[in-house]
Amino acid sequence: MPLTLTVLGTASPHPGPGRPCSGYLLSGGGAEVWVDAGPGTFAALQQHTDPARLTAIWISHLHADHSADLLSAAYAFAFGGMAPAAPVPVYAPRDCARRLAGFFGRPDTGFLDTVFDFRDLHDGHDVRHWNLRLTARAVAHDTEAYGLRAECQGSVLAYSGDSGPCAALTELAALADLFLCEADVDAHRDGGHAGPVHLTPEDAGRIARDARVRELLVTHVGPGLTRESATARAAAVAGRPTGTAREGDTRTF
């Protein structure tokens, strides 16, 4: 089966009416993976699959707009009649389990073991579920963060997560069929020593061009931009087909 990407949410930094935060359903090779769990995406996920059938959950970083709906999933799996047949692997930055346990006021994480199987990501982390391969690369953000490269029977999706410009992101996206990339900020501003932690539309277009991707899909557009303007600005630099990620859209490639 080819890769299929379903957009669950794209909003930054908070959900809006009909627009959850970051979240995607990635299907291919016999696997279904929930990629990022921003607020509102668990409800959207249920419109496209039974969450109890998920093969895995993959979290780019632990900021709430990318991970908070793990709490919704925990309630659904443990108390809501959606119990999976086995604990669902959760690939996420270290400390994910402890943070989730904190929502329950619990100092331990063992009670989550019946629904989730937490596995720490690292740069170069590589795992295969059936014929779907997931590879993580550390990217530039203000917390531990990863981009994702998903490969299935010759089709390639690259996902930026949240990242500033960095060589790892260009390498991750190299020759991808579809590059799902944030364009969160209108312009970089001085301040801090870590450098930019988000991309402008022009950054997204430049990475897509340099990585020679087949198509760029702009997502995670912040409140200082419109999705239409961000996509147009990215397209002007990318020099290749460029679209806008919208809730409910499905791409098969």
Side-chain angles (χ1 to χ4, degrees):
M1 295 292 291
L3 275 173
T4 297
L5 175 74
T6 302
V7 179
L8 306 176
T10 67
S12 170
H14 60 82
R19 191 180 174 198
C21 286
S22 293
Y24 311 90
L25 175 62
L26 183 62
S27 306
E32 289 188 306
V33 180
W34 181 16
V35 177
D36 275 349
T41 60
F42 186 71
L45 181 70
Q46 295 170 68
Q47 295 178 308
H48 301 280
T49 193
D50 177 358
R53 294 174 48 198
L54 287 170
T55 307
I57 301 170
W58 194 96
I59 303 296
S60 64
H61 64 293
L62 299 183
H63 285 162
D65 59 334
H66 291 255
S67 66
D69 252 18
L70 283 175
L71 180 61
S72 299
Y75 270 96
F77 292 164
F79 313 120
M82 291 187 185
V88 180
V90 179
Y91 301 102
R94 62 184 182 277
D95 233 18
C96 186
R98 186 187 63 80
R99 292 195 190 193
L100 187 59
F103 282 110
F104 293 90
R106 297 281 294 271
D108 64 290
T109 63
F111 73 102
L112 296 169
D113 291 348
T114 59
V115 293
F116 293 136
D117 176 9
F118 288 96
R119 307 180 187 186
D120 291 350
L121 288 176
H122 58 80
D123 189 32
H125 182 277
D126 190 83
V127 66
R128 184 182 294 272
H129 287 283
W130 303 99
N131 286 322
L132 179 62
R133 179 182 181 186
L134 306 173
T135 304
R137 286 297 308 273
V139 294
H141 200 42
D142 54 0
T143 189
E144 182 184 1
Y146 299 92
L148 172 66
R149 185 179 178 93
E151 302 175 70
C152 180
Q153 297 173 304
S155 296
V156 178
L157 166 79
Y159 170 49
S160 66
D162 276 9
S163 177
C166 61
L169 193 52
T170 305
E171 294 167 6
L172 184 82
L175 301 177
D177 295 290
L178 185 66
F179 181 33
L180 179 65
C181 186
E182 70 130 277
D184 190 74
V185 295
D186 179 50
H188 296 303
R189 291 172 172 80
D190 294 335
H193 300 290
V197 297
H198 283 291
L199 302 174
T200 66
E202 288 76 16
D203 291 329
R206 189 174 304 109
I207 293 166
R209 181 196 65 204
D210 293 348
R212 298 168 59 197
V213 306
R214 190 176 75 184
E215 182 180 359
L216 171 63
L217 191 60
V218 173
T219 191
H220 199 269
V221 175
L225 294 161
T226 66
R227 290 194 277 193
E228 294 75 15
S229 67
T231 301
R233 286 169 54 179
V237 177
R240 61 202 62 243
T242 302
T244 307
R246 295 187 182 278
E247 284 68 20
D249 284 354
T250 296
R251 300 288 188 100
T252 299
F253 51 97

